[in-house]
Amino acid sequence: MNSKLKKYLILSGLGVSLLLVLALIGFFVVDEIKGGAVGDGQNKYELIIDSGEPSSSVVRELAAAGMIKSSVYFNYLMKFTRAGNKIKQGVYDINDGMSSRKILDVIISGKVKLVNFTVPEGYNNRQIGDLLVSKKLAISREEFLKVAQSPALLTKYNIPAKTLEGYLFPETYSVPLNYPLERITEMMIKRFYKKLESIPEAKGIKPADLHFRVVLGSIVEREAVRKEERPMMAGVFLTRIEKNINLESCATIQYLFDKPKKRLFESDLKIVSPYNTYINGGWPPGPISNPGLPALEASFKPMKSDKLFFLLKPDGSHYFSATFKEHLDAKKKFIDVLYQ
């Protein structure tokens, strides 16, 4: 190879490299001018992409919301990256501090907006339904309650009941908006069984025996205020059953109302219902709440004693009594004085 040809090839290579560098610089300049962030992130927008929605519609919405500088550039970017058919349906949190490339990355990666909701310990299914409605995860309480009575889910998890009451574990969950209620419900059931693994006494337990513990735990959950009193409370209920004494749990009466009352009256204790443990012996027909782990642990590890009664004191603790006379004396001392 002669020197002139060699020199020509070198200069050609340098020329090509220079053109590539200039093209790259030009791309980044155009990308910043046409595809850079519109603002500083202060303006937020909830982008909803439906199943089968064309990419052109998505681009128009982003432009109309002021989230991108140029719809022409965004379309070019999708074509250049072959991302037009990769956009995933869902709900996305977009803000004007995101570049076009960042927005495109979000909507093709499926990083959808998550909704957080917390089920407090002791919530019943009605309350969970209302919570999901408030978070726009359910249309109505009735819609959720129908799922919570699903024969398929009851059979799948071998729950010997007509409802999932008691098996929806109270905790904080994160799900995408428009997430199916069936999957949300199943998520809570799976969390229940996962938490149950931390209780040694629950290992290998039969469904019917577990259901009894869930019923007990659900009552303890609604009666107890302080965590340390739950085992003693579970022991009281078990002792009453053993002695063929009605449970007389106010929590089972409260379950009959759509919203708990601040105070129960004598007339409330006479309501005819299988859940009324003042007029019916034995356990109620099912759980009255969804208990948390401490209440479940108490149902498996009750503290047995001679105590048969307890009442809530003004400080949030309970007074436990072995005799009815002692219980009445405690009632006069801690409760009756409040209404004199």
Side-chain angles (χ1 to χ4, degrees):
M1 181 183 296
N2 59 45
S3 58
K4 287 185 178 181
L5 180 59
K6 186 176 182 180
K7 185 178 180 179
Y8 172 78
L9 291 174
I10 291 173
L11 289 173
S12 296
L14 289 173
V16 171
S17 298
L18 180 60
L19 287 173
L20 288 173
V21 170
L22 290 173
L24 193 60
I25 293 173
F27 170 78
F28 282 112
V29 170
V30 173
D31 184 61
E32 179 59 32
I33 294 174
K34 296 293 186 180
V38 176
D40 58 4
Q42 293 296 314
N43 294 318
K44 304 182 186 304
Y45 184 70
E46 187 176 80
L47 177 66
I48 301 175
I49 301 177
D50 296 321
S51 177
E53 184 174 358
S55 59
S56 57
S57 174
V58 175
V59 177
R60 282 196 301 271
E61 184 174 350
L62 287 169
M67 294 294 115
I68 58 176
K69 289 182 175 180
S70 170
S71 57
V72 173
Y73 180 77
F74 201 93
N75 279 314
Y76 164 77
L77 193 62
M78 285 195 300
K79 186 175 181 180
F80 180 75
T81 57
R82 298 180 179 178
N85 296 323
K86 298 177 183 177
I87 295 175
K88 297 179 175 63
Q89 73 174 97
V91 181
Y92 300 89
D93 275 332
I94 305 296
N95 65 73
D96 65 358
M98 299 166 67
S99 67
S100 291
R101 281 183 286 113
K102 176 61 178 176
I103 293 174
L104 184 59
D105 176 63
V106 168
I107 62 179
I108 67 174
S109 64
K111 297 175 183 177
V112 297
K113 175 182 179 180
L114 295 178
V115 178
N116 298 319
F117 67 94
T118 300
V119 178
E121 294 179 343
Y123 256 32
N124 59 42
N125 286 3
R126 298 189 300 265
Q127 291 171 304
I128 294 177
D130 291 341
L131 173 64
L132 295 178
V133 170
S134 72
K135 292 292 183 176
K136 299 181 180 179
L137 294 170
I139 296 174
S140 65
R141 175 201 285 186
E142 290 68 31
E143 181 191 29
F144 170 72
L145 292 179
K146 184 177 180 180
V147 174
Q149 296 170 356
S150 165
L153 287 176
L154 290 166
T155 301
K156 181 176 181 179
Y157 291 94
N158 209 1
I159 297 173
K162 296 181 180 180
T163 172
L164 295 167
E165 188 87 76
Y167 295 84
L168 305 180
F169 196 77
E171 202 169 87
T172 297
Y173 299 88
S174 295
V175 298
L177 202 60
N178 299 324
Y179 203 60
L181 269 180
E182 290 79 5
R183 294 180 68 178
I184 293 176
T185 305
E186 192 163 12
M187 181 186 299
M188 291 189 278
I189 300 172
K190 288 180 178 178
R191 193 70 55 88
F192 168 86
Y193 283 105
K194 185 66 179 178
K195 291 293 184 179
L196 201 65
E197 293 176 3
S198 66
I199 304 177
E201 293 80 0
K203 186 177 181 179
I205 191 170
K206 294 179 180 178
D209 294 332
L210 173 60
H211 193 63
F212 149 67
R213 297 293 175 181
V214 175
V215 171
L216 174 56
S218 75
I219 299 174
V220 170
E221 184 64 82
R222 293 297 295 181
E223 290 277 9
V225 177
R226 298 187 177 182
K227 179 180 178 180
E228 64 272 13
E229 292 181 346
R230 287 167 180 163
M232 175 73 81
M233 202 169 279
V236 168
F237 287 127
L238 286 169
T239 300
R240 291 179 74 92
I241 291 293
E242 291 169 2
K243 292 181 177 292
N244 201 30
I245 302 173
N246 289 3
L247 293 180
E248 296 186 348
S249 165
C250 292
T252 63
I253 302 296
Q254 292 282 17
Y255 185 67
L256 303 178
F257 301 109
D258 190 59
K259 293 182 179 180
K261 288 188 172 185
K262 290 185 178 180
R263 186 187 180 192
L264 293 176
F265 296 94
E266 283 294 324
S267 58
D268 297 323
L269 307 185
K270 297 176 182 178
I271 296 174
V272 178
S273 168
Y275 283 93
N276 186 339
T277 56
Y278 277 83
I279 61 177
N280 297 301
W283 302 103
I288 62 167
S289 74
N290 291 281
L293 188 59
L296 285 171
E297 288 176 329
S299 73
F300 279 93
K301 305 173 186 178
M303 185 183 297
K304 297 300 290 291
S305 69
D306 64 342
K307 307 300 182 183
L308 288 171
F309 307 89
F310 59 81
L311 60 81
L312 181 65
K313 297 192 294 183
D315 66 357
S317 65
H318 283 81
Y319 186 90
F320 292 83
S321 307
T323 66
F324 187 55
K325 182 181 182 306
E326 184 185 359
H327 180 63
L328 287 179
D329 289 341
K331 182 175 179 293
K332 291 177 183 178
K333 180 179 180 180
F334 296 111
I335 304 299
D336 293 348
V337 294
L338 300 176
Y339 300 99
Q340 291 179 351

